[in-house]
C-alpha cells in the first residue's frame, strides 16, 4: 500500500526558502505570485493490507522522524 504525506511549515513560521522562490518567480515575470510556502512530500510503500493500520503506522513515522512537530504540520493523503 502506498501512503502519501505532505509536511509543511506551520502558519506563522518564517519560510525563507519559500520567500526566495517567490522573489525569484517575481523576477522571472510571474508578477502575480504573492506568496510561496515550501514543504516536503513523501511516498511511503508499506506492506500492510489494513488501510487504517497503515495510516496509523505512517502517522507514528511522521511524529517520530518525518516532521518536526514544533514547527511543521503533516497531512496523510
Amino acid at each position: 500500500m502506498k501512503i502519501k504525506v505532505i509536511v509543511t511549515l506551520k502558519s506563522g513560521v518564517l519560510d525563507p526558502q519559500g520567500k526566495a522562490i517567490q522573489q525569484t518567480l517575481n523576477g522571472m515575470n510571474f508578477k502575480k505570485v504573492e506568496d510561496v510556502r515550501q514543504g516536503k512530500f513523501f511516498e511511503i510503500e508499506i506492506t500492510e493490507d489494513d488501510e487504517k493500520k497503515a495510516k496509523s503506522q505512517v502517522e507514528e513515522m511522521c511524529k517520530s522522524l518525518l516532521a518536526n512537530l514544533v514547527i511543521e504540520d503533516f497531512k496523510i493523503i
Side-chain angles (χ1 to χ4, degrees):
M1 174 177 298
K2 189 177 288 186
I3 305 287
K4 297 175 183 180
V5 179
I6 299 172
V7 179
T8 56
L9 290 169
K10 289 183 177 185
S11 178
V13 174
L14 294 178
D15 185 357
Q17 186 175 2
K19 188 66 172 171
I21 293 167
Q22 181 256 325
Q23 290 172 342
T24 301
L25 289 170
N26 288 158
M28 295 172 69
N29 232 11
F30 296 101
K31 301 292 185 188
K32 295 191 178 207
V33 176
E34 294 182 6
D35 191 33
V36 175
R37 302 284 291 175
Q38 65 88 33
K40 301 179 274 190
F41 175 75
F42 299 94
E43 280 188 352
I44 300 171
E45 189 73 36
I46 186 166
T47 54
E48 175 62 64
D49 294 329
D50 185 313
E51 184 177 355
K52 188 174 179 180
K53 286 181 182 179
K55 286 184 176 183
S56 177
Q57 289 177 25
V58 170
E59 182 175 348
E60 287 303 312
M61 292 176 202
C62 290
K63 290 177 180 178
S64 300
L65 176 68
L66 302 179
N68 177 347
L69 299 180
V70 175
I71 61 168
E72 295 176 319
D73 289 322
F74 66 90
K75 182 177 182 179
I76 298 171
I77 54 174

Coordinates of all heavy atoms in Angstrom, one line a residue:
M1 N 0.9 -1.2 0.0 CA 0.0 0.0 0.0 C 0.9 1.2 0.0 O 1.9 1.3 0.7 CB -0.9 0.0 1.3 CG -1.7 1.2 1.4 SD -2.8 1.1 2.9 CE -3.8 -0.2 2.4
K2 N 0.5 2.2 -0.8 CA 1.3 3.5 -0.9 C 0.6 4.5 -0.1 O -0.6 4.8 -0.4 CB 1.5 3.9 -2.3 CG 2.5 5.0 -2.5 CD 2.7 5.4 -4.0 CE 3.5 4.3 -4.6 NZ 3.9 4.5 -5.9
I3 N 1.3 5.2 0.8 CA 0.7 6.3 1.6 C 1.5 7.5 1.2 O 2.7 7.5 1.2 CB 0.8 6.0 3.1 CG1 0.2 4.7 3.5 CG2 0.3 7.2 3.9 CD1 -1.3 4.7 3.5
K4 N 0.8 8.6 1.0 CA 1.5 9.9 0.7 C 1.4 10.8 1.9 O 0.3 10.9 2.6 CB 0.9 10.5 -0.5 CG 1.1 9.6 -1.8 CD 0.4 10.2 -3.0 CE 0.5 9.2 -4.1 NZ -0.1 9.7 -5.3
V5 N 2.4 11.6 2.2 CA 2.5 12.5 3.3 C 3.0 13.9 2.8 O 4.0 13.9 2.1 CB 3.4 12.0 4.4 CG1 3.5 13.0 5.6 CG2 3.0 10.6 4.9
I6 N 2.3 14.9 3.2 CA 2.8 16.3 2.9 C 3.2 16.9 4.3 O 2.3 16.9 5.2 CB 1.7 17.1 2.2 CG1 1.4 16.4 0.8 CG2 2.2 18.5 2.0 CD1 0.2 17.1 0.2
V7 N 4.4 17.4 4.3 CA 4.9 18.1 5.5 C 5.1 19.6 5.2 O 5.8 19.9 4.2 CB 6.2 17.5 6.1 CG1 6.6 18.2 7.3 CG2 5.9 16.0 6.4
T8 N 4.5 20.5 5.9 CA 4.6 21.9 5.7 C 4.9 22.7 7.0 O 4.6 22.2 8.1 CB 3.4 22.5 5.0 OG1 2.3 22.3 5.9 CG2 3.1 21.9 3.7
L9 N 5.5 23.8 6.8 CA 5.8 24.7 8.0 C 4.4 25.1 8.5 O 3.5 25.4 7.8 CB 6.7 25.8 7.6 CG 8.1 25.5 7.3 CD1 8.8 26.7 6.7 CD2 8.8 25.0 8.5
K10 N 4.4 25.2 9.8 CA 3.1 25.8 10.4 C 2.9 27.2 10.1 O 3.9 28.0 9.8 CB 3.2 25.7 12.0 CG 3.1 24.2 12.5 CD 3.1 24.2 14.0 CE 3.0 22.7 14.4 NZ 2.8 22.6 15.9
S11 N 1.7 27.6 10.1 CA 1.4 29.0 9.8 C 2.1 29.9 10.8 O 2.1 29.6 12.0 CB -0.2 29.2 9.9 OG -0.5 30.6 9.7
G12 N 2.7 31.0 10.4 CA 3.4 31.9 11.3 C 4.9 31.6 11.4 O 5.6 32.4 11.9
V13 N 5.3 30.4 10.9 CA 6.7 30.1 11.0 C 7.3 30.7 9.7 O 6.8 30.5 8.6 CB 7.0 28.6 11.0 CG1 8.4 28.2 10.9 CG2 6.4 28.0 12.3
L14 N 8.4 31.4 9.9 CA 9.1 32.1 8.7 C 9.6 31.0 7.7 O 10.1 29.9 8.2 CB 10.3 32.9 9.2 CG 9.9 34.2 10.0 CD1 11.2 34.9 10.4 CD2 9.0 35.1 9.2
D15 N 9.4 31.2 6.4 CA 9.8 30.3 5.4 C 10.8 31.0 4.4 O 10.4 31.5 3.4 CB 8.6 29.8 4.7 CG 8.9 28.7 3.6 OD1 10.1 28.4 3.4 OD2 7.9 28.2 3.0
P16 N 12.1 31.1 4.8 CA 13.0 31.9 3.9 C 13.2 31.2 2.6 O 13.3 32.0 1.6 CB 14.3 31.9 4.7 CG 14.2 30.9 5.8 CD 12.7 30.7 6.0
Q17 N 13.1 29.9 2.5 CA 13.2 29.3 1.1 C 12.0 29.6 0.3 O 12.1 29.9 -0.9 CB 13.4 27.8 1.3 CG 13.6 27.1 0.0 CD 13.9 25.6 0.1 OE1 13.9 25.0 1.2 NE2 14.2 24.9 -1.0
G18 N 10.8 29.6 0.9 CA 9.6 29.9 0.1 C 9.7 31.4 -0.3 O 9.3 31.7 -1.5
K19 N 10.2 32.3 0.5 CA 10.3 33.7 0.2 C 11.3 33.9 -1.0 O 11.0 34.6 -1.9 CB 10.7 34.5 1.4 CG 10.7 36.0 1.2 CD 9.2 36.4 1.0 CE 9.1 37.9 1.0 NZ 7.8 38.4 0.6
A20 N 12.4 33.1 -1.0 CA 13.4 33.2 -2.0 C 12.8 32.7 -3.4 O 13.0 33.3 -4.4 CB 14.6 32.4 -1.7
I21 N 12.0 31.7 -3.3 CA 11.3 31.1 -4.5 C 10.3 32.2 -5.0 O 10.3 32.4 -6.2 CB 10.6 29.8 -4.2 CG1 11.7 28.7 -3.9 CG2 9.7 29.4 -5.4 CD1 11.1 27.5 -3.3
Q22 N 9.5 32.8 -4.2 CA 8.5 33.8 -4.6 C 9.2 35.0 -5.2 O 8.8 35.4 -6.3 CB 7.7 34.2 -3.4 CG 6.7 35.2 -3.7 CD 7.0 36.6 -3.2 OE1 7.7 36.8 -2.2 NE2 6.6 37.6 -4.0
Q23 N 10.3 35.4 -4.6 CA 11.0 36.6 -5.2 C 11.6 36.2 -6.6 O 11.6 37.0 -7.5 CB 12.1 37.1 -4.2 CG 11.5 37.7 -3.0 CD 12.6 38.0 -2.0 OE1 13.7 37.5 -2.0 NE2 12.2 38.9 -1.0
T24 N 12.2 35.0 -6.7 CA 12.7 34.6 -8.0 C 11.6 34.5 -9.0 O 11.8 34.9 -10.2 CB 13.4 33.2 -7.8 OG1 14.5 33.4 -6.8 CG2 14.1 32.8 -9.1
L25 N 10.5 33.9 -8.7 CA 9.4 33.9 -9.6 C 9.0 35.3 -10.1 O 8.7 35.5 -11.3 CB 8.2 33.1 -9.0 CG 8.4 31.6 -8.9 CD1 7.3 31.0 -8.0 CD2 8.5 30.9 -10.2
N26 N 8.9 36.2 -9.1 CA 8.5 37.6 -9.5 C 9.6 38.1 -10.5 O 9.2 38.8 -11.4 CB 8.4 38.5 -8.3 CG 7.2 38.2 -7.4 OD1 7.2 38.5 -6.2 ND2 6.2 37.6 -7.9
G27 N 10.8 37.9 -10.2 CA 11.9 38.3 -11.1 C 11.9 37.7 -12.5 O 12.4 38.2 -13.4
M28 N 11.2 36.5 -12.6 CA 11.1 35.8 -13.9 C 9.8 36.2 -14.6 O 9.4 35.6 -15.5 CB 11.1 34.3 -13.6 CG 12.4 33.8 -13.1 SD 12.3 32.1 -12.6 CE 12.2 31.3 -14.2
N29 N 9.2 37.3 -14.1 CA 8.0 37.9 -14.7 C 6.7 37.2 -14.3 O 5.7 37.3 -15.0 CB 8.1 38.0 -16.2 CG 7.8 39.4 -16.7 OD1 7.7 40.3 -15.9 ND2 7.6 39.6 -18.0
F30 N 6.7 36.4 -13.2 CA 5.5 35.8 -12.7 C 5.0 36.8 -11.6 O 5.1 36.5 -10.4 CB 5.7 34.4 -12.2 CG 6.1 33.4 -13.2 CD1 7.4 33.0 -13.4 CD2 5.1 32.9 -14.1 CE1 7.7 32.1 -14.4 CE2 5.4 32.0 -15.1 CZ 6.7 31.6 -15.2
K31 N 4.6 37.9 -12.0 CA 4.3 39.0 -11.0 C 3.1 38.8 -10.1 O 3.0 39.4 -9.1 CB 4.1 40.3 -11.8 CG 5.3 40.7 -12.7 CD 6.5 41.1 -11.9 CE 7.6 41.7 -12.8 NZ 8.8 41.9 -12.1
K32 N 2.2 37.9 -10.5 CA 1.0 37.7 -9.6 C 1.2 36.7 -8.5 O 0.3 36.5 -7.7 CB -0.1 37.3 -10.5 CG -0.5 38.4 -11.5 CD -1.8 38.1 -12.2 CE -2.1 39.3 -13.1 NZ -3.5 39.4 -13.3
V33 N 2.4 36.1 -8.4 CA 2.7 35.2 -7.3 C 3.0 36.1 -6.0 O 3.9 36.8 -6.0 CB 4.0 34.3 -7.6 CG1 4.3 33.5 -6.3 CG2 3.7 33.5 -8.8
E34 N 2.1 36.0 -5.0 CA 2.2 36.8 -3.8 C 2.9 36.1 -2.7 O 3.5 36.7 -1.8 CB 0.8 37.2 -3.4 CG 0.1 38.1 -4.3 CD -1.3 38.6 -3.8 OE1 -1.6 38.2 -2.7 OE2 -2.0 39.2 -4.6
D35 N 2.8 34.7 -2.7 CA 3.5 34.0 -1.6 C 3.8 32.6 -2.0 O 3.0 32.0 -2.8 CB 2.5 34.0 -0.3 CG 3.2 33.5 0.9 OD1 4.4 33.7 1.1 OD2 2.6 32.9 1.8
V36 N 4.8 32.0 -1.5 CA 5.2 30.6 -1.7 C 5.6 30.0 -0.4 O 6.3 30.6 0.4 CB 6.3 30.4 -2.7 CG1 6.7 29.0 -2.8 CG2 6.0 31.0 -4.1
R37 N 5.0 28.9 0.0 CA 5.4 28.1 1.1 C 5.9 26.8 0.6 O 5.3 26.1 -0.1 CB 4.2 27.9 2.1 CG 3.5 29.1 2.6 CD 4.2 29.8 3.6 NE 4.2 29.1 4.9 CZ 4.9 29.5 6.0 NH1 5.6 30.6 6.0 NH2 4.8 28.8 7.1
Q38 N 7.1 26.4 1.0 CA 7.7 25.1 0.6 C 7.5 24.1 1.7 O 7.3 24.4 2.8 CB 9.2 25.3 0.2 CG 10.1 25.7 1.3 CD 10.7 24.5 2.0 OE1 10.9 23.5 1.4 NE2 10.9 24.7 3.3
G39 N 7.6 22.8 1.2 CA 7.5 21.7 2.2 C 8.2 20.5 1.7 O 9.0 20.5 0.8
K40 N 7.7 19.4 2.2 CA 8.3 18.1 1.9 C 7.1 17.1 1.5 O 6.1 17.2 2.0 CB 9.1 17.4 3.0 CG 10.2 18.3 3.5 CD 10.9 17.6 4.7 CE 10.2 18.0 6.0 NZ 10.9 17.6 7.2
F41 N 7.4 16.2 0.6 CA 6.4 15.3 0.1 C 7.1 13.9 0.2 O 8.2 13.7 -0.3 CB 6.0 15.6 -1.3 CG 5.1 14.5 -1.9 CD1 3.8 14.5 -1.5 CD2 5.6 13.6 -2.8 CE1 2.9 13.5 -2.1 CE2 4.7 12.7 -3.4 CZ 3.4 12.6 -3.0
F42 N 6.4 12.9 0.8 CA 6.9 11.6 0.9 C 5.9 10.6 0.3 O 4.7 10.8 0.5 CB 7.1 11.2 2.4 CG 8.0 12.0 3.2 CD1 7.6 13.1 3.9 CD2 9.4 11.7 3.1 CE1 8.6 13.9 4.6 CE2 10.3 12.5 3.8 CZ 9.9 13.6 4.6
E43 N 6.3 9.6 -0.4 CA 5.5 8.5 -0.8 C 6.1 7.3 -0.1 O 7.3 6.9 -0.3 CB 5.6 8.2 -2.3 CG 4.7 9.1 -3.1 CD 4.7 8.7 -4.6 OE1 5.4 7.9 -5.0 OE2 3.9 9.3 -5.2
I44 N 5.3 6.6 0.8 CA 5.8 5.5 1.6 C 5.1 4.3 1.2 O 3.8 4.2 1.2 CB 5.6 5.8 3.1 CG1 6.4 7.1 3.5 CG2 6.0 4.6 3.9 CD1 6.0 7.6 4.9
E45 N 5.8 3.3 0.7 CA 5.3 2.0 0.4 C 5.4 1.1 1.6 O 6.5 0.9 2.2 CB 6.1 1.4 -0.8 CG 5.5 0.1 -1.3 CD 4.2 0.4 -2.2 OE1 4.2 1.4 -2.9 OE2 3.3 -0.4 -2.2
I46 N 4.2 0.6 2.1 CA 4.2 -0.1 3.4 C 3.4 -1.4 3.1 O 2.4 -1.5 2.4 CB 3.6 0.7 4.5 CG1 3.6 0.0 5.8 CG2 2.2 1.2 4.2 CD1 3.3 0.9 7.0
T47 N 4.0 -2.5 3.6 CA 3.3 -3.8 3.4 C 2.3 -4.1 4.6 O 2.6 -4.8 5.5 CB 4.4 -5.0 3.4 OG1 5.2 -4.9 4.6 CG2 5.3 -4.9 2.2
E48 N 1.2 -3.4 4.4 CA 0.1 -3.5 5.4 C -1.2 -3.5 4.5 O -1.4 -2.5 3.8 CB 0.2 -2.4 6.4 CG -1.0 -2.3 7.3 CD -1.1 -3.6 8.2 OE1 -0.2 -3.8 9.0 OE2 -2.2 -4.3 8.1
D49 N -2.0 -4.5 4.7 CA -3.3 -4.5 3.9 C -4.4 -3.7 4.5 O -5.3 -3.2 3.8 CB -3.7 -6.0 3.8 CG -2.8 -6.8 3.0 OD1 -2.2 -6.3 2.1 OD2 -2.7 -8.0 3.3
D50 N -4.4 -3.5 5.8 CA -5.4 -2.7 6.5 C -5.0 -1.2 6.4 O -4.0 -0.7 7.0 CB -5.5 -3.1 8.0 CG -6.6 -2.4 8.7 OD1 -6.7 -1.2 8.6 OD2 -7.3 -3.1 9.5
E51 N -5.8 -0.4 5.7 CA -5.5 1.0 5.5 C -5.4 1.8 6.8 O -4.6 2.6 6.9 CB -6.6 1.6 4.6 CG -6.3 3.1 4.2 CD -7.3 3.7 3.2 OE1 -8.2 3.0 2.7 OE2 -7.2 4.9 3.0
K52 N -6.3 1.5 7.7 CA -6.3 2.2 9.0 C -5.0 1.9 9.7 O -4.4 2.9 10.3 CB -7.5 1.7 9.8 CG -7.7 2.5 11.1 CD -9.0 2.1 11.8 CE -9.2 2.9 13.1 NZ -10.4 2.6 13.8
K53 N -4.5 0.7 9.7 CA -3.3 0.3 10.4 C -2.1 1.0 9.7 O -1.2 1.5 10.3 CB -3.1 -1.2 10.5 CG -4.0 -1.9 11.5 CD -3.7 -3.4 11.5 CE -4.6 -4.1 12.4 NZ -4.3 -5.6 12.4
A54 N -2.1 1.0 8.4 CA -1.1 1.6 7.6 C -1.0 3.1 7.9 O 0.1 3.6 8.1 CB -1.3 1.4 6.1
K55 N -2.1 3.8 7.9 CA -2.1 5.2 8.2 C -1.6 5.5 9.6 O -0.9 6.5 9.8 CB -3.4 5.8 7.9 CG -3.7 6.0 6.4 CD -5.1 6.7 6.2 CE -5.3 6.9 4.7 NZ -6.5 7.6 4.4
S56 N -2.0 4.6 10.5 CA -1.6 4.8 11.9 C 0.0 4.6 12.0 O 0.6 5.4 12.7 CB -2.3 3.8 12.8 OG -1.8 3.9 14.1
Q57 N 0.5 3.7 11.3 CA 2.0 3.5 11.3 C 2.7 4.7 10.7 O 3.7 5.2 11.2 CB 2.4 2.2 10.6 CG 2.0 1.0 11.4 CD 2.3 -0.3 10.6 OE1 3.2 -0.3 9.7 NE2 1.6 -1.4 10.9
V58 N 2.2 5.2 9.6 CA 2.8 6.3 8.9 C 2.7 7.6 9.8 O 3.6 8.4 9.9 CB 2.2 6.6 7.5 CG1 2.6 7.9 6.9 CG2 2.5 5.4 6.6
E59 N 1.6 7.7 10.5 CA 1.4 8.8 11.5 C 2.5 8.8 12.5 O 3.1 9.8 12.9 CB 0.0 8.8 12.1 CG -0.2 10.0 13.1 CD -1.6 10.0 13.6 OE1 -2.5 9.3 13.1 OE2 -1.8 10.8 14.6
E60 N 2.8 7.6 13.0 CA 3.9 7.4 14.0 C 5.2 7.8 13.4 O 6.1 8.4 14.1 CB 3.9 6.0 14.6 CG 2.8 5.7 15.6 CD 2.8 6.7 16.7 OE1 3.9 7.0 17.4 OE2 1.7 7.3 17.0
M61 N 5.4 7.4 12.1 CA 6.7 7.8 11.4 C 6.8 9.3 11.3 O 7.9 9.9 11.5 CB 6.7 7.2 10.0 CG 6.8 5.7 9.9 SD 6.6 5.2 8.2 CE 6.1 3.5 8.4
C62 N 5.7 10.0 11.0 CA 5.7 11.4 10.9 C 6.1 12.1 12.3 O 6.9 13.0 12.4 CB 4.4 12.0 10.5 SG 4.0 11.6 8.7
K63 N 5.4 11.6 13.3 CA 5.7 12.1 14.7 C 7.1 11.8 15.1 O 7.7 12.6 15.9 CB 4.7 11.5 15.7 CG 3.3 12.0 15.4 CD 2.3 11.4 16.4 CE 0.9 11.9 16.2 NZ -0.1 11.2 17.1
S64 N 7.7 10.7 14.7 CA 9.0 10.3 15.2 C 10.2 10.9 14.4 O 11.2 11.1 14.9 CB 9.1 8.8 15.2 OG 8.1 8.2 16.0
L65 N 9.9 11.0 13.0 CA 11.1 11.4 12.2 C 10.8 12.4 11.1 O 11.5 13.3 10.9 CB 11.6 10.1 11.6 CG 12.8 10.3 10.5 CD1 14.0 10.8 11.2 CD2 13.0 9.0 9.8
L66 N 9.7 12.2 10.4 CA 9.4 12.9 9.1 C 9.1 14.4 9.3 O 9.4 15.2 8.5 CB 8.4 12.2 8.3 CG 8.7 10.7 7.9 CD1 7.5 10.2 7.1 CD2 10.0 10.6 7.2
A67 N 8.5 14.7 10.4 CA 8.1 16.1 10.7 C 8.6 16.6 12.0 O 8.6 15.8 13.0 CB 6.5 16.2 10.7
N68 N 9.0 17.8 12.1 CA 9.4 18.5 13.3 C 8.1 19.1 13.8 O 7.8 20.2 13.4 CB 10.5 19.5 13.0 CG 10.9 20.2 14.3 OD1 10.2 20.2 15.3 ND2 12.0 21.0 14.2
L69 N 7.5 18.5 14.8 CA 6.2 18.9 15.2 C 6.2 20.3 15.9 O 5.1 20.9 16.0 CB 5.6 17.9 16.2 CG 5.4 16.5 15.5 CD1 4.7 15.5 16.5 CD2 4.5 16.6 14.3
V70 N 7.3 20.8 16.3 CA 7.4 22.1 16.8 C 7.1 23.2 15.8 O 6.4 24.2 16.0 CB 8.8 22.4 17.5 CG1 8.9 23.8 18.0 CG2 9.0 21.4 18.6
I71 N 7.6 23.0 14.5 CA 7.4 24.0 13.5 C 6.7 23.5 12.3 O 6.4 24.3 11.3 CB 8.8 24.6 13.1 CG1 9.7 23.5 12.5 CG2 9.4 25.3 14.2 CD1 11.0 24.0 11.8
E72 N 6.4 22.2 12.2 CA 5.8 21.6 11.0 C 4.5 20.9 11.3 O 4.3 20.4 12.4 CB 6.7 20.6 10.3 CG 8.0 21.3 9.8 CD 9.0 20.3 9.2 OE1 9.1 19.2 9.8 OE2 9.6 20.6 8.1
D73 N 3.6 20.9 10.3 CA 2.4 20.1 10.3 C 2.5 19.0 9.2 O 3.3 19.2 8.3 CB 1.2 21.0 9.9 CG 0.8 21.9 11.1 OD1 0.9 21.6 12.2 OD2 0.4 23.1 10.7
F74 N 1.8 18.0 9.4 CA 1.8 16.9 8.3 C 0.4 16.5 8.0 O -0.5 16.6 8.8 CB 2.6 15.7 8.7 CG 2.1 14.9 9.9 CD1 1.2 13.9 9.7 CD2 2.5 15.2 11.2 CE1 0.8 13.1 10.8 CE2 2.0 14.5 12.3 CZ 1.2 13.4 12.0
K75 N 0.2 16.0 6.8 CA -1.1 15.6 6.3 C -0.9 14.3 5.6 O -0.1 14.2 4.6 CB -1.8 16.6 5.4 CG -3.1 16.2 4.9 CD -3.7 17.3 4.1 CE -5.1 16.9 3.6 NZ -5.7 18.0 2.8
I76 N -1.6 13.2 6.0 CA -1.6 11.9 5.3 C -2.7 11.9 4.3 O -3.8 12.1 4.6 CB -1.7 10.8 6.3 CG1 -0.5 10.9 7.3 CG2 -1.7 9.4 5.6 CD1 -0.6 9.9 8.5
I77 N -2.3 11.6 3.0 CA -3.3 11.5 2.0 C -3.3 10.2 1.3 O -2.3 9.4 1.4 CB -3.2 12.7 1.0 CG1 -1.7 12.7 0.4 CG2 -3.5 14.0 1.6 CD1 -1.5 13.7 -0.7

